[in-house]
Amino acid sequence: MAEALVAKKEASSPIKFGKKEKKLLTDPLSDNNPITVQVLGICSALAVTTGMKNAAVMAVAVVLVCVGSNVITSVLRNIIPKQVRMIVQLVIIATLVTMVELVLKAVAFESYKALSVFIGLIITNCIIMGRLEAFASSNKPYESLLDGLGNGVGYGLILLIVAFFRELLGKGTIFDWKLIGATPEYLINTTESWLFGWYVNNNLFVLFPAAMFVIGIVIWVHRAWRPQLVDVS
Amino acid sequence: MELVNVFIKAAFIENLALAYFLGMCSYLAVSKTVKTAFGLGLAVIFVLGITMPINWFINVYLLGENGIFGMDLTFLRLILFIAVIASMVQLVEMVIEKFSPALYNSLGIFLPLITVNCAILGGSLFMVAGEYSFSESVAFGLGGGFGWFLAIIAIAAIREKIRYSDVPLALRGLGMAFLLTGLMGMAFMGLMGIDPAAF
């Protein structure tokens, strides 16, 4: 009886931000990170991290789609029959992705042109589908919103870290702004005080295998910092 | 003979997992033991082998200019391909759940995730880009699936063996799998020939 009362009380005030909600939001940032712990969304993390700018736009798009699809699936979770749930989920994701694509086209046309293929690839980004399957299809809308937000941001965080190293070492730039490596001026006059002018861009970092190495090292550092994540098997 | 060529090319030279790095999520997560990797690999061969011919029909007879609607509907390609893949995966899921509950439980969330396994959608899109005929698209689908199957078996076997090596504690498991995949990918780049445009 008391339990029923508590459950009713909790249900009557869905908007609250207690310990559990905070955990939902912050867990995916580190201890349950979509890329380094759950191993979801690797393909897009490999494809868009050649530059910081692409990675940043992609991160924002994924956060929006992740939150939106989580909330919609959670609202519809009792109506969707189990046998066709994947198709319904994919339609929800595809609709949201198309919306994000159109908004991006209207607001930031330059980024849209640079990213057009990859925005479409959000449909096959397993983070979104994975969270729908694992969380939103069995939880309330408000919690699903927090979960979607946390996972989207956690994904974006790793994306930016990987893109930082790949762009810096592969092209010598950050956000297309020349930071290290030889500039044309340096090549003409090598006495100019240009920091790291001797650096030659390592093209391996633009290719796919380097993304695997960078993510692998990020995982190494992350697990050295949080030993409870180490997987002994 | 032509079909054998397409099969070999899809399986080894254009390996979906190690040359294009598609389908990485399930590749990394399910490759802990050879046994589960084997099950997922077979499921991927099956789904690729079925969806590829269906998507070929859709692409040619529904979306093409000579199709039944008589106009260019290629902007619908992505969503139709995904719908076909999703329904096929749902079918595979029901079959596996019925006939092998143990495999079903060990695959867990990664079975529905074959739907969003980019190797499947990517395979269909490569099939469109390669302008294959019907029989070639079947060979391409089976070859692509076989290549992915071999790749996941290879990494699973390496991961089983590397358990006996003295890997730094924090790098064990997933971290090492990433580094290994990167190295295997570099080896496969040799088969493709290194793209001069990248340099």
Side-chain angles (χ1 to χ4, degrees), chain A residues 36 39 41-43 83 85-86 90 123-124 126 203 207-209 212-213 215-216 219-220 223-224 230, chain B residues 21 23-25 82 86 90 93 112 115-116 118 121 163 169-171 173-174 178-179 181-182 186 189 199:
Chain A
T36 61
V39 216
I42 310 291
C43 316
Q83 287 79 16
R85 66 179 195 285
M86 284 182 222
L90 275 175
I123 298 176
T124 53
C126 17
N203 281 308
L207 300 172
F208 280 130
M212 303 301 290
F213 295 145
I215 298 177
I219 291 174
W220 188 359
R223 292 190 179 183
V230 171
Chain B
F21 288 95
M24 273 296 127
C25 314
I82 274 285
Q90 196 98 57
E93 189 189 5
T115 320
V116 280
C118 10
L121 186 67
R163 211 164 294 158
L169 195 62
L171 197 57
L174 193 59
F178 268 95
L179 298 186
T181 313
M186 280 174 79
M189 274 168 62
F199 290 94

mmCIF file of all heavy atoms in Angstrom, chain A residues 36 39 41-43 83 85-86 90 123-124 126 203 207-209 212-213 215-216 219-220 223-224 230, chain B residues 21 23-25 82 86 90 93 112 115-116 118 121 163 169-171 173-174 178-179 181-182 186 189 199:
data_model
loop_
_atom_site.group_PDB
_atom_site.id
_atom_site.type_symbol
_atom_site.label_atom_id
_atom_site.label_comp_id
_atom_site.label_asym_id
_atom_site.label_seq_id
_atom_site.Cartn_x
_atom_site.Cartn_y
_atom_site.Cartn_z
ATOM 1 N N THR A 36 33.078 4.921 -25.710
ATOM 2 C CA THR A 36 34.178 4.199 -25.080
ATOM 3 C C THR A 36 33.719 3.049 -24.190
ATOM 4 O O THR A 36 34.511 2.175 -23.889
ATOM 5 C CB THR A 36 35.055 5.144 -24.239
ATOM 6 O OG1 THR A 36 34.256 5.708 -23.215
ATOM 7 C CG2 THR A 36 35.658 6.216 -25.074
ATOM 8 N N VAL A 39 30.241 1.071 -26.753
ATOM 9 C CA VAL A 39 30.655 0.749 -28.127
ATOM 10 C C VAL A 39 29.525 0.935 -29.126
ATOM 11 O O VAL A 39 29.203 0.032 -29.895
ATOM 12 C CB VAL A 39 31.172 -0.685 -28.288
ATOM 13 C CG1 VAL A 39 32.307 -0.711 -29.274
ATOM 14 C CG2 VAL A 39 31.592 -1.284 -27.008
ATOM 15 N N GLY A 41 27.901 3.651 -32.171
ATOM 16 C CA GLY A 41 28.165 4.845 -32.982
ATOM 17 C C GLY A 41 29.601 5.003 -33.416
ATOM 18 O O GLY A 41 30.080 6.119 -33.607
ATOM 19 N N ILE A 42 30.312 3.893 -33.606
ATOM 20 C CA ILE A 42 31.721 3.985 -33.987
ATOM 21 C C ILE A 42 31.878 4.469 -35.439
ATOM 22 O O ILE A 42 32.738 5.275 -35.736
ATOM 23 C CB ILE A 42 32.418 2.620 -33.845
ATOM 24 C CG1 ILE A 42 32.147 2.019 -32.483
ATOM 25 C CG2 ILE A 42 33.904 2.740 -34.079
ATOM 26 C CD1 ILE A 42 32.781 2.724 -31.361
ATOM 27 N N CYS A 43 30.999 3.955 -36.309
ATOM 28 C CA CYS A 43 31.180 4.236 -37.744
ATOM 29 C C CYS A 43 31.176 5.728 -38.009
ATOM 30 O O CYS A 43 32.057 6.249 -38.692
ATOM 31 C CB CYS A 43 30.068 3.588 -38.553
ATOM 32 S SG CYS A 43 29.717 1.926 -38.040
ATOM 33 N N GLN A 83 6.592 -6.759 -32.593
ATOM 34 C CA GLN A 83 7.096 -7.340 -33.838
ATOM 35 C C GLN A 83 7.519 -6.296 -34.856
ATOM 36 O O GLN A 83 8.367 -6.567 -35.694
ATOM 37 C CB GLN A 83 6.032 -8.250 -34.474
ATOM 38 C CG GLN A 83 5.832 -9.565 -33.765
ATOM 39 C CD GLN A 83 4.981 -9.418 -32.523
ATOM 40 O OE1 GLN A 83 4.309 -8.403 -32.347
ATOM 41 N NE2 GLN A 83 5.009 -10.403 -31.637
ATOM 42 N N ARG A 85 8.553 -3.109 -34.017
ATOM 43 C CA ARG A 85 9.088 -1.936 -33.328
ATOM 44 C C ARG A 85 10.267 -1.315 -34.060
ATOM 45 O O ARG A 85 10.410 -0.100 -34.105
ATOM 46 C CB ARG A 85 9.460 -2.275 -31.891
ATOM 47 C CG ARG A 85 10.608 -3.255 -31.788
ATOM 48 C CD ARG A 85 10.956 -3.538 -30.347
ATOM 49 N NE ARG A 85 12.257 -4.175 -30.287
ATOM 50 C CZ ARG A 85 12.483 -5.453 -30.607
ATOM 51 N NH1 ARG A 85 11.482 -6.204 -31.010
ATOM 52 N NH2 ARG A 85 13.689 -5.952 -30.546
ATOM 53 N N MET A 86 11.120 -2.162 -34.690
ATOM 54 C CA MET A 86 12.300 -1.596 -35.351
ATOM 55 C C MET A 86 11.904 -0.682 -36.494
ATOM 56 O O MET A 86 12.492 0.370 -36.695
ATOM 57 C CB MET A 86 13.153 -2.722 -35.915
ATOM 58 C CG MET A 86 13.936 -3.430 -34.869
ATOM 59 S SD MET A 86 14.897 -4.652 -35.727
ATOM 60 C CE MET A 86 14.708 -5.992 -34.644
ATOM 61 N N LEU A 90 12.749 3.195 -36.757
ATOM 62 C CA LEU A 90 13.512 3.758 -37.868
ATOM 63 C C LEU A 90 12.749 4.880 -38.557
ATOM 64 O O LEU A 90 13.352 5.861 -38.982
ATOM 65 C CB LEU A 90 13.852 2.661 -38.878
ATOM 66 C CG LEU A 90 15.097 1.893 -38.518
ATOM 67 C CD1 LEU A 90 15.309 0.758 -39.487
ATOM 68 C CD2 LEU A 90 16.304 2.815 -38.543
ATOM 69 N N ILE A 123 20.860 8.213 -39.506
ATOM 70 C CA ILE A 123 19.827 7.163 -39.482
ATOM 71 C C ILE A 123 20.453 5.838 -39.064
ATOM 72 O O ILE A 123 19.866 5.084 -38.292
ATOM 73 C CB ILE A 123 19.191 7.011 -40.885
ATOM 74 C CG1 ILE A 123 18.502 8.304 -41.285
ATOM 75 C CG2 ILE A 123 18.188 5.874 -40.883
ATOM 76 C CD1 ILE A 123 17.933 8.261 -42.673
ATOM 77 N N THR A 124 21.652 5.562 -39.564
ATOM 78 C CA THR A 124 22.276 4.284 -39.221
ATOM 79 C C THR A 124 23.249 4.428 -38.064
ATOM 80 O O THR A 124 24.122 3.595 -37.880
ATOM 81 C CB THR A 124 23.014 3.696 -40.426
ATOM 82 O OG1 THR A 124 23.902 4.681 -40.926
ATOM 83 C CG2 THR A 124 22.075 3.250 -41.488
ATOM 84 N N CYS A 126 24.200 3.820 -34.557
ATOM 85 C CA CYS A 126 23.594 2.867 -33.620
ATOM 86 C C CYS A 126 23.353 3.458 -32.244
ATOM 87 O O CYS A 126 22.616 2.874 -31.467
ATOM 88 C CB CYS A 126 24.405 1.591 -33.509
ATOM 89 S SG CYS A 126 26.049 1.658 -34.103
ATOM 90 N N ASN A 203 49.714 12.310 -42.890
ATOM 91 C CA ASN A 203 48.463 12.018 -43.589
ATOM 92 C C ASN A 203 47.778 10.768 -43.092
ATOM 93 O O ASN A 203 46.595 10.571 -43.361
ATOM 94 C CB ASN A 203 48.713 11.895 -45.084
ATOM 95 C CG ASN A 203 48.832 13.249 -45.722
ATOM 96 O OD1 ASN A 203 47.964 14.095 -45.550
ATOM 97 N ND2 ASN A 203 49.915 13.483 -46.411
ATOM 98 N N LEU A 207 43.311 9.204 -42.536
ATOM 99 C CA LEU A 207 42.732 7.934 -42.969
ATOM 100 C C LEU A 207 42.034 7.227 -41.800
ATOM 101 O O LEU A 207 42.247 7.561 -40.640
ATOM 102 C CB LEU A 207 43.826 7.035 -43.546
ATOM 103 C CG LEU A 207 44.562 7.620 -44.744
ATOM 104 C CD1 LEU A 207 45.742 6.758 -45.106
ATOM 105 C CD2 LEU A 207 43.630 7.752 -45.917
ATOM 106 N N PHE A 208 41.229 6.219 -42.146
ATOM 107 C CA PHE A 208 40.427 5.539 -41.138
ATOM 108 C C PHE A 208 41.230 4.854 -40.015
ATOM 109 O O PHE A 208 40.859 4.968 -38.858
ATOM 110 C CB PHE A 208 39.517 4.511 -41.797
ATOM 111 C CG PHE A 208 38.290 5.111 -42.395
ATOM 112 C CD1 PHE A 208 37.911 4.817 -43.687
ATOM 113 C CD2 PHE A 208 37.505 5.993 -41.662
ATOM 114 C CE1 PHE A 208 36.774 5.383 -44.241
ATOM 115 C CE2 PHE A 208 36.370 6.559 -42.213
ATOM 116 C CZ PHE A 208 36.017 6.243 -43.509
ATOM 117 N N PRO A 209 42.299 4.108 -40.343
ATOM 118 C CA PRO A 209 42.962 3.368 -39.252
ATOM 119 C C PRO A 209 43.391 4.269 -38.102
ATOM 120 O O PRO A 209 43.320 3.866 -36.935
ATOM 121 C CB PRO A 209 44.176 2.733 -39.939
ATOM 122 C CG PRO A 209 43.766 2.599 -41.345
ATOM 123 C CD PRO A 209 42.905 3.780 -41.637
ATOM 124 N N MET A 212 40.856 4.633 -35.489
ATOM 125 C CA MET A 212 40.817 3.500 -34.559
ATOM 126 C C MET A 212 41.890 3.665 -33.487
ATOM 127 O O MET A 212 41.646 3.424 -32.311
ATOM 128 C CB MET A 212 41.044 2.175 -35.283
ATOM 129 C CG MET A 212 40.098 1.859 -36.403
ATOM 130 S SD MET A 212 38.376 1.782 -35.959
ATOM 131 C CE MET A 212 38.281 0.315 -35.003
ATOM 132 N N PHE A 213 43.105 4.058 -33.926
ATOM 133 C CA PHE A 213 44.188 4.221 -32.944
ATOM 134 C C PHE A 213 43.827 5.299 -31.922
ATOM 135 O O PHE A 213 44.000 5.099 -30.715
ATOM 136 C CB PHE A 213 45.497 4.609 -33.648
ATOM 137 C CG PHE A 213 46.020 3.542 -34.561
ATOM 138 C CD1 PHE A 213 46.669 3.870 -35.739
ATOM 139 C CD2 PHE A 213 45.869 2.208 -34.243
ATOM 140 C CE1 PHE A 213 47.140 2.886 -36.589
ATOM 141 C CE2 PHE A 213 46.337 1.221 -35.079
ATOM 142 C CZ PHE A 213 46.966 1.560 -36.252
ATOM 143 N N ILE A 215 40.878 6.492 -31.008
ATOM 144 C CA ILE A 215 39.818 6.077 -30.081
ATOM 145 C C ILE A 215 40.368 5.041 -29.107
ATOM 146 O O ILE A 215 40.061 5.069 -27.905
ATOM 147 C CB ILE A 215 38.603 5.516 -30.842
ATOM 148 C CG1 ILE A 215 38.005 6.601 -31.732
ATOM 149 C CG2 ILE A 215 37.539 5.032 -29.871
ATOM 150 C CD1 ILE A 215 36.849 6.129 -32.571
ATOM 151 N N GLY A 216 41.208 4.115 -29.607
ATOM 152 C CA GLY A 216 41.801 3.123 -28.721
ATOM 153 C C GLY A 216 42.596 3.766 -27.599
ATOM 154 O O GLY A 216 42.494 3.358 -26.434
ATOM 155 N N ILE A 219 40.309 5.372 -25.081
ATOM 156 C CA ILE A 219 39.771 4.353 -24.172
ATOM 157 C C ILE A 219 40.808 3.974 -23.125
ATOM 158 O O ILE A 219 40.494 3.838 -21.935
ATOM 159 C CB ILE A 219 39.331 3.112 -24.975
ATOM 160 C CG1 ILE A 219 38.111 3.452 -25.811
ATOM 161 C CG2 ILE A 219 39.032 1.947 -24.048
ATOM 162 C CD1 ILE A 219 37.702 2.348 -26.731
ATOM 163 N N TRP A 220 42.048 3.850 -23.571
ATOM 164 C CA TRP A 220 43.139 3.492 -22.642
ATOM 165 C C TRP A 220 43.239 4.521 -21.514
ATOM 166 O O TRP A 220 43.224 4.186 -20.317
ATOM 167 C CB TRP A 220 44.440 3.412 -23.458
ATOM 168 C CG TRP A 220 45.620 2.877 -22.713
ATOM 169 C CD1 TRP A 220 45.662 2.475 -21.407
ATOM 170 C CD2 TRP A 220 46.930 2.686 -23.242
ATOM 171 N NE1 TRP A 220 46.918 2.046 -21.092
ATOM 172 C CE2 TRP A 220 47.711 2.162 -22.198
ATOM 173 C CE3 TRP A 220 47.515 2.903 -24.494
ATOM 174 C CZ2 TRP A 220 49.071 1.859 -22.377
ATOM 175 C CZ3 TRP A 220 48.856 2.602 -24.666
ATOM 176 C CH2 TRP A 220 49.623 2.079 -23.610
ATOM 177 N N ARG A 223 40.178 4.489 -19.190
ATOM 178 C CA ARG A 223 40.109 3.372 -18.255
ATOM 179 C C ARG A 223 41.217 3.399 -17.227
ATOM 180 O O ARG A 223 41.055 2.861 -16.139
ATOM 181 C CB ARG A 223 40.111 2.052 -19.015
ATOM 182 C CG ARG A 223 38.821 1.934 -19.764
ATOM 183 C CD ARG A 223 38.584 0.600 -20.355
ATOM 184 N NE ARG A 223 37.280 0.671 -21.007
ATOM 185 C CZ ARG A 223 36.684 -0.335 -21.597
ATOM 186 N NH1 ARG A 223 37.274 -1.497 -21.647
ATOM 187 N NH2 ARG A 223 35.506 -0.182 -22.139
ATOM 188 N N ALA A 224 42.336 4.017 -17.604
ATOM 189 C CA ALA A 224 43.384 4.181 -16.602
ATOM 190 C C ALA A 224 42.914 5.143 -15.519
ATOM 191 O O ALA A 224 43.248 5.001 -14.341
ATOM 192 C CB ALA A 224 44.655 4.698 -17.258
ATOM 193 N N VAL A 230 37.544 -1.132 -16.307
ATOM 194 C CA VAL A 230 38.409 -2.115 -16.958
ATOM 195 C C VAL A 230 37.670 -3.425 -17.121
ATOM 196 O O VAL A 230 37.059 -3.931 -16.174
ATOM 197 C CB VAL A 230 39.692 -2.336 -16.135
ATOM 198 C CG1 VAL A 230 40.472 -3.511 -16.688
ATOM 199 C CG2 VAL A 230 40.533 -1.093 -16.147
ATOM 200 N N PHE B 21 35.582 0.142 -42.958
ATOM 201 C CA PHE B 21 35.242 0.342 -41.546
ATOM 202 C C PHE B 21 33.752 0.541 -41.354
ATOM 203 O O PHE B 21 33.314 1.448 -40.666
ATOM 204 C CB PHE B 21 36.040 1.490 -40.942
ATOM 205 C CG PHE B 21 37.479 1.133 -40.755
ATOM 206 C CD1 PHE B 21 38.404 1.479 -41.716
ATOM 207 C CD2 PHE B 21 37.899 0.435 -39.653
ATOM 208 C CE1 PHE B 21 39.727 1.126 -41.566
ATOM 209 C CE2 PHE B 21 39.212 0.080 -39.501
ATOM 210 C CZ PHE B 21 40.131 0.430 -40.462
ATOM 211 N N GLY B 23 30.043 -1.118 -40.088
ATOM 212 C CA GLY B 23 29.541 -2.108 -39.150
ATOM 213 C C GLY B 23 30.458 -2.323 -37.960
ATOM 214 O O GLY B 23 30.527 -3.405 -37.398
ATOM 215 N N MET B 24 31.155 -1.240 -37.562
ATOM 216 C CA MET B 24 32.162 -1.374 -36.515
ATOM 217 C C MET B 24 31.572 -1.645 -35.138
ATOM 218 O O MET B 24 32.200 -2.315 -34.321
ATOM 219 C CB MET B 24 32.969 -0.074 -36.426
ATOM 220 C CG MET B 24 34.129 -0.031 -37.366
ATOM 221 S SD MET B 24 35.284 -1.311 -36.923
ATOM 222 C CE MET B 24 35.476 -2.147 -38.457
ATOM 223 N N CYS B 25 30.380 -1.127 -34.857
ATOM 224 C CA CYS B 25 29.866 -1.226 -33.483
ATOM 225 C C CYS B 25 29.678 -2.677 -33.096
ATOM 226 O O CYS B 25 30.204 -3.142 -32.087
ATOM 227 C CB CYS B 25 28.547 -0.489 -33.351
ATOM 228 S SG CYS B 25 28.566 1.115 -34.106
ATOM 229 N N ILE B 82 16.284 1.172 -46.041
ATOM 230 C CA ILE B 82 16.244 0.967 -44.588
ATOM 231 C C ILE B 82 15.013 0.159 -44.190
ATOM 232 O O ILE B 82 15.078 -0.730 -43.338
ATOM 233 C CB ILE B 82 16.265 2.343 -43.869
ATOM 234 C CG1 ILE B 82 17.697 2.813 -43.673
ATOM 235 C CG2 ILE B 82 15.588 2.280 -42.548
ATOM 236 C CD1 ILE B 82 18.430 2.081 -42.585
ATOM 237 N N ALA B 86 15.193 -3.289 -42.263
ATOM 238 C CA ALA B 86 14.564 -3.440 -40.947
ATOM 239 C C ALA B 86 13.625 -4.632 -40.925
ATOM 240 O O ALA B 86 13.626 -5.417 -39.970
ATOM 241 C CB ALA B 86 13.813 -2.161 -40.582
ATOM 242 N N GLN B 90 14.131 -8.015 -38.641
ATOM 243 C CA GLN B 90 13.068 -8.455 -37.734
ATOM 244 C C GLN B 90 12.746 -9.935 -37.974
ATOM 245 O O GLN B 90 12.580 -10.717 -37.033
ATOM 246 C CB GLN B 90 11.818 -7.600 -37.978
ATOM 247 C CG GLN B 90 10.815 -7.705 -36.865
ATOM 248 C CD GLN B 90 10.923 -6.546 -35.902
ATOM 249 O OE1 GLN B 90 10.822 -5.385 -36.299
ATOM 250 N NE2 GLN B 90 11.146 -6.825 -34.645
ATOM 251 N N GLU B 93 15.495 -12.052 -36.602
ATOM 252 C CA GLU B 93 15.399 -12.086 -35.144
ATOM 253 C C GLU B 93 14.369 -13.110 -34.692
ATOM 254 O O GLU B 93 14.612 -13.914 -33.792
ATOM 255 C CB GLU B 93 15.028 -10.696 -34.614
ATOM 256 C CG GLU B 93 15.120 -10.621 -33.103
ATOM 257 C CD GLU B 93 14.565 -9.351 -32.537
ATOM 258 O OE1 GLU B 93 14.016 -8.536 -33.291
ATOM 259 O OE2 GLU B 93 14.683 -9.169 -31.321
ATOM 260 N N PRO B 112 19.031 -6.681 -33.059
ATOM 261 C CA PRO B 112 18.289 -5.569 -33.675
ATOM 262 C C PRO B 112 19.234 -4.535 -34.277
ATOM 263 O O PRO B 112 18.880 -3.867 -35.240
ATOM 264 C CB PRO B 112 17.490 -4.980 -32.516
ATOM 265 C CG PRO B 112 17.822 -5.744 -31.319
ATOM 266 C CD PRO B 112 18.583 -6.935 -31.691
ATOM 267 N N THR B 115 20.153 -3.953 -38.004
ATOM 268 C CA THR B 115 19.397 -2.996 -38.815
ATOM 269 C C THR B 115 20.214 -1.756 -39.084
ATOM 270 O O THR B 115 20.252 -1.236 -40.190
ATOM 271 C CB THR B 115 18.126 -2.557 -38.054
ATOM 272 O OG1 THR B 115 17.578 -3.667 -37.412
ATOM 273 C CG2 THR B 115 17.160 -1.918 -38.990
ATOM 274 N N VAL B 116 20.861 -1.247 -38.021
ATOM 275 C CA VAL B 116 21.623 -0.021 -38.181
ATOM 276 C C VAL B 116 23.099 -0.345 -38.354
ATOM 277 O O VAL B 116 23.949 0.516 -38.205
ATOM 278 C CB VAL B 116 21.415 0.928 -36.993
ATOM 279 C CG1 VAL B 116 20.115 1.660 -37.144
ATOM 280 C CG2 VAL B 116 21.473 0.203 -35.695
ATOM 281 N N CYS B 118 25.949 -0.373 -40.372
ATOM 282 C CA CYS B 118 26.102 0.371 -41.623
ATOM 283 C C CYS B 118 26.636 -0.512 -42.729
ATOM 284 O O CYS B 118 26.543 -0.163 -43.892
ATOM 285 C CB CYS B 118 26.966 1.601 -41.451
ATOM 286 S SG CYS B 118 27.811 1.734 -39.910
ATOM 287 N N LEU B 121 23.459 -1.334 -44.950
ATOM 288 C CA LEU B 121 23.023 -0.213 -45.790
ATOM 289 C C LEU B 121 24.145 0.199 -46.740
ATOM 290 O O LEU B 121 23.915 0.448 -47.923
ATOM 291 C CB LEU B 121 22.604 0.974 -44.918
ATOM 292 C CG LEU B 121 22.008 2.151 -45.668
ATOM 293 C CD1 LEU B 121 20.678 1.762 -46.275
ATOM 294 C CD2 LEU B 121 21.831 3.351 -44.769
ATOM 295 N N ARG B 163 44.321 -12.670 -24.794
ATOM 296 C CA ARG B 163 43.994 -12.720 -23.367
ATOM 297 C C ARG B 163 45.169 -13.280 -22.559
ATOM 298 O O ARG B 163 45.305 -13.007 -21.388
ATOM 299 C CB ARG B 163 42.758 -13.589 -23.179
ATOM 300 C CG ARG B 163 41.898 -13.172 -22.025
ATOM 301 C CD ARG B 163 40.536 -13.801 -22.137
ATOM 302 N NE ARG B 163 39.791 -13.303 -23.281
ATOM 303 C CZ ARG B 163 38.784 -13.965 -23.842
ATOM 304 N NH1 ARG B 163 38.437 -15.141 -23.397
ATOM 305 N NH2 ARG B 163 38.137 -13.447 -24.850
ATOM 306 N N LEU B 169 46.652 -3.108 -18.130
ATOM 307 C CA LEU B 169 45.330 -3.413 -17.601
ATOM 308 C C LEU B 169 44.235 -2.566 -18.254
ATOM 309 O O LEU B 169 43.200 -3.086 -18.654
ATOM 310 C CB LEU B 169 45.340 -3.207 -16.083
ATOM 311 C CG LEU B 169 44.156 -3.822 -15.355
ATOM 312 C CD1 LEU B 169 44.145 -5.316 -15.534
ATOM 313 C CD2 LEU B 169 44.197 -3.454 -13.888
ATOM 314 N N ALA B 170 44.487 -1.253 -18.373
ATOM 315 C CA ALA B 170 43.436 -0.372 -18.875
ATOM 316 C C ALA B 170 43.196 -0.556 -20.359
ATOM 317 O O ALA B 170 42.192 -0.107 -20.894
ATOM 318 C CB ALA B 170 43.805 1.089 -18.587
ATOM 319 N N LEU B 171 44.135 -1.200 -21.046
ATOM 320 C CA LEU B 171 43.995 -1.364 -22.493
ATOM 321 C C LEU B 171 43.319 -2.677 -22.839
ATOM 322 O O LEU B 171 42.924 -2.906 -23.966
ATOM 323 C CB LEU B 171 45.387 -1.295 -23.129
ATOM 324 C CG LEU B 171 45.491 -1.047 -24.630
ATOM 325 C CD1 LEU B 171 44.799 0.241 -24.994
ATOM 326 C CD2 LEU B 171 46.931 -0.985 -25.048
ATOM 327 N N GLY B 173 40.789 -5.714 -23.482
ATOM 328 C CA GLY B 173 39.435 -5.732 -24.009
ATOM 329 C C GLY B 173 39.257 -4.736 -25.136
ATOM 330 O O GLY B 173 39.932 -4.821 -26.159
ATOM 331 N N LEU B 174 38.384 -3.763 -24.880
ATOM 332 C CA LEU B 174 37.970 -2.874 -25.950
ATOM 333 C C LEU B 174 39.105 -2.051 -26.548
ATOM 334 O O LEU B 174 39.241 -1.946 -27.769
ATOM 335 C CB LEU B 174 36.889 -1.946 -25.411
ATOM 336 C CG LEU B 174 36.135 -1.176 -26.464
ATOM 337 C CD1 LEU B 174 35.458 -2.129 -27.416
ATOM 338 C CD2 LEU B 174 35.115 -0.281 -25.813
ATOM 339 N N PHE B 178 40.382 -1.966 -30.530
ATOM 340 C CA PHE B 178 40.474 -0.815 -31.431
ATOM 341 C C PHE B 178 41.844 -0.779 -32.114
ATOM 342 O O PHE B 178 41.939 -0.602 -33.326
ATOM 343 C CB PHE B 178 40.254 0.481 -30.654
ATOM 344 C CG PHE B 178 38.826 0.925 -30.626
ATOM 345 C CD1 PHE B 178 38.006 0.599 -29.571
ATOM 346 C CD2 PHE B 178 38.304 1.669 -31.654
ATOM 347 C CE1 PHE B 178 36.688 1.003 -29.540
ATOM 348 C CE2 PHE B 178 36.992 2.079 -31.641
ATOM 349 C CZ PHE B 178 36.185 1.747 -30.582
ATOM 350 N N LEU B 179 42.906 -0.926 -31.316
ATOM 351 C CA LEU B 179 44.246 -0.850 -31.894
ATOM 352 C C LEU B 179 44.445 -1.969 -32.913
ATOM 353 O O LEU B 179 44.988 -1.754 -34.003
ATOM 354 C CB LEU B 179 45.301 -0.938 -30.798
ATOM 355 C CG LEU B 179 45.265 0.190 -29.754
ATOM 356 C CD1 LEU B 179 46.449 0.075 -28.815
ATOM 357 C CD2 LEU B 179 45.263 1.544 -30.405
ATOM 358 N N THR B 181 42.151 -3.512 -34.687
ATOM 359 C CA THR B 181 41.396 -3.242 -35.903
ATOM 360 C C THR B 181 42.104 -2.216 -36.767
ATOM 361 O O THR B 181 42.132 -2.332 -37.999
ATOM 362 C CB THR B 181 39.987 -2.746 -35.548
ATOM 363 O OG1 THR B 181 39.453 -3.596 -34.549
ATOM 364 C CG2 THR B 181 39.098 -2.754 -36.748
ATOM 365 N N GLY B 182 42.695 -1.207 -36.109
ATOM 366 C CA GLY B 182 43.449 -0.220 -36.870
ATOM 367 C C GLY B 182 44.591 -0.865 -37.632
ATOM 368 O O GLY B 182 44.803 -0.587 -38.822
ATOM 369 N N MET B 186 45.113 -1.225 -41.669
ATOM 370 C CA MET B 186 46.288 -0.769 -42.429
ATOM 371 C C MET B 186 46.770 -1.865 -43.356
ATOM 372 O O MET B 186 47.169 -1.611 -44.502
ATOM 373 C CB MET B 186 47.409 -0.365 -41.473
ATOM 374 C CG MET B 186 47.207 1.008 -40.889
ATOM 375 S SD MET B 186 48.425 1.394 -39.655
ATOM 376 C CE MET B 186 49.798 1.842 -40.672
ATOM 377 N N MET B 189 44.578 -1.989 -46.329
ATOM 378 C CA MET B 189 44.814 -0.884 -47.261
ATOM 379 C C MET B 189 45.816 -1.300 -48.329
ATOM 380 O O MET B 189 45.769 -0.815 -49.458
ATOM 381 C CB MET B 189 45.339 0.338 -46.511
ATOM 382 C CG MET B 189 44.248 1.206 -45.946
ATOM 383 S SD MET B 189 44.914 2.412 -44.800
ATOM 384 C CE MET B 189 45.978 3.328 -45.868
ATOM 385 N N PHE B 199 47.104 11.511 -50.388
ATOM 386 C CA PHE B 199 48.387 12.118 -50.020
ATOM 387 C C PHE B 199 48.684 13.377 -50.819
ATOM 388 O O PHE B 199 47.964 13.722 -51.723
ATOM 389 C CB PHE B 199 49.516 11.094 -50.229
ATOM 390 C CG PHE B 199 49.442 9.980 -49.219
ATOM 391 C CD1 PHE B 199 48.774 8.807 -49.499
ATOM 392 C CD2 PHE B 199 49.994 10.146 -47.959
ATOM 393 C CE1 PHE B 199 48.692 7.810 -48.579
ATOM 394 C CE2 PHE B 199 49.912 9.145 -47.035
ATOM 395 C CZ PHE B 199 49.255 7.973 -47.343
#
